[in-house]
């Protein structure tokens, strides 16, 4: 009899606990907001420098994640700049060098031909300006050493990278695009060279 009573009490307590558990289901963790990458402010007067050196039709893309990089790309001790832009009016006759190291790597014709290429690839809708600085003023100098407009290069993100090329240290621009392609753009002493698969992951 006592055994039966104890069994009944245990059963009743188990049912009560089960009901209480069902009435208080475990809540899912509250999603935490995704941390936003803080964009660095652009240098003051950047668009004015671009307009002066490249013309009115080239505009800094302020919506791009990293529209501006600063480093000594050609190794002369003066700071250079790389700037992501919307470039509608680029020309082989501009006061700069129009270059296409991406298509050159794959053996396509000269930039006069490749500058006419049309593409639907959004990663190729931008251009990169490179200004080789002159003296202590660097890329802001009134007379830069050289100015380049890099076209047709696929990228949706760029950053700086130090690398060794033929036993020589260089500071290059790594590119990444939506397809997962990584590459590096660097000055080889004579011109800018694009190399796939050389960027850090």
């Amino acid at each position: 009899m006592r055994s039966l009573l104890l069994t009944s009490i245990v059963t009743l307590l188990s049912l009560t606990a089960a009901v209480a558990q069902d009435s208080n289901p475990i809540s899912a963790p509250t999603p935490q907001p995704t941390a936003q990458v803080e964009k660095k402010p652009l240098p003051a007067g950047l668009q004015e420098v671009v307009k002066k050196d490249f013309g009115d039709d080239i505009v800094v893309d302020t919506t791009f994640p990293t529209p501006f990089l600063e480093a000594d790309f050609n190794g002369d001790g003066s700071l250079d700049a790389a700037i992501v832009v919307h470039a509608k009016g680029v020309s082989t006759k501009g006061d700069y060098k129009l270059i296409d190291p991406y298509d050159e790597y794959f053996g396509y014709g000269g930039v006069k031909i490749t500058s006419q290429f049309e593409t639907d690839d959004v990663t190729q809708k931008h251009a990169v300006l490179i200004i080789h600085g002159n003296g202590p003023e660097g890329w802001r100098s009134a007379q830069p050493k050289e100015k380049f407009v890099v076209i047709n290069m696929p990228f949706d993100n760029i950053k700086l990278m130090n690398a060794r090329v033929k036993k020589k240290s260089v500071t290059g621009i790594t590119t990444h695009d939506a397809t997962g392609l990584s590459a590096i753009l660097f000055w080889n002493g004579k011109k800018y060279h694009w190399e796939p698969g050389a960027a850090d992951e």
Side-chain angles (χ1 to χ4, degrees):
M1 181 71 176
R2 178 176 294 183
S3 175
L4 180 60
L5 180 60
L6 287 174
T7 302
S8 300
I9 292 172
V10 171
T11 303
L12 180 61
L13 290 174
S14 299
L15 290 173
T16 303
V19 171
Q21 187 175 13
D22 288 342
S23 62
N24 295 290
I26 299 173
S27 58
T30 303
Q32 297 299 316
T34 303
Q36 298 293 322
V37 177
E38 184 178 352
K39 293 180 66 174
K40 294 182 180 180
L42 296 177
L46 182 62
Q47 182 57 56
E48 286 72 15
V49 172
V50 168
K51 181 178 180 179
K52 173 181 70 71
D53 288 335
F54 296 91
D56 296 331
D57 294 328
I58 300 180
V59 180
V60 179
D61 184 359
T62 57
T63 67
F64 198 76
T66 51
F68 175 81
L69 300 174
E70 184 181 55
D72 182 8
F73 297 124
N74 62 348
D76 66 352
S78 186
L79 279 178
D80 310 318
I83 308 161
V84 178
V85 297
H86 293 292
K88 296 180 180 179
V90 294
S91 168
T92 55
K93 298 179 181 180
D95 186 24
Y96 46 76
K97 293 180 181 179
L98 187 67
I99 61 175
D100 185 357
Y102 172 77
D103 283 314
E104 181 181 339
Y105 176 85
F106 291 105
Y108 288 100
V111 71
K112 287 185 178 180
I113 297 173
T114 62
S115 63
Q116 305 301 315
F117 287 178
E118 294 290 336
T119 179
D120 294 326
D121 186 350
V122 294
T123 67
Q124 297 188 45
K125 295 294 186 181
H126 296 93
V128 176
L129 311 181
I130 299 177
I131 303 173
H132 282 177
N134 190 4
E137 292 182 316
W139 57 270
R140 290 182 178 276
S141 171
Q143 297 293 330
K145 281 189 176 179
E146 292 179 285
K147 299 177 291 185
F148 304 87
V149 179
V150 184
I151 61 170
N152 294 340
M153 182 171 64
F155 65 93
D156 55 20
N157 188 28
I158 63 172
K159 59 183 178 179
L160 296 175
M161 178 184 178
N162 294 319
R164 291 191 67 81
V165 179
K166 294 182 179 179
K167 299 182 180 181
K168 182 180 179 181
S169 295
V170 299
T171 299
I173 301 167
T174 64
T175 66
H176 303 268
D177 71 16
T179 68
L181 176 66
S182 297
I184 184 170
L185 179 72
F186 65 93
W187 180 255
N188 67 6
K190 297 180 179 179
K191 62 181 182 179
Y192 277 96
H193 178 73
W194 182 91
E195 186 78 29
D200 59 337
E201 297 298 334

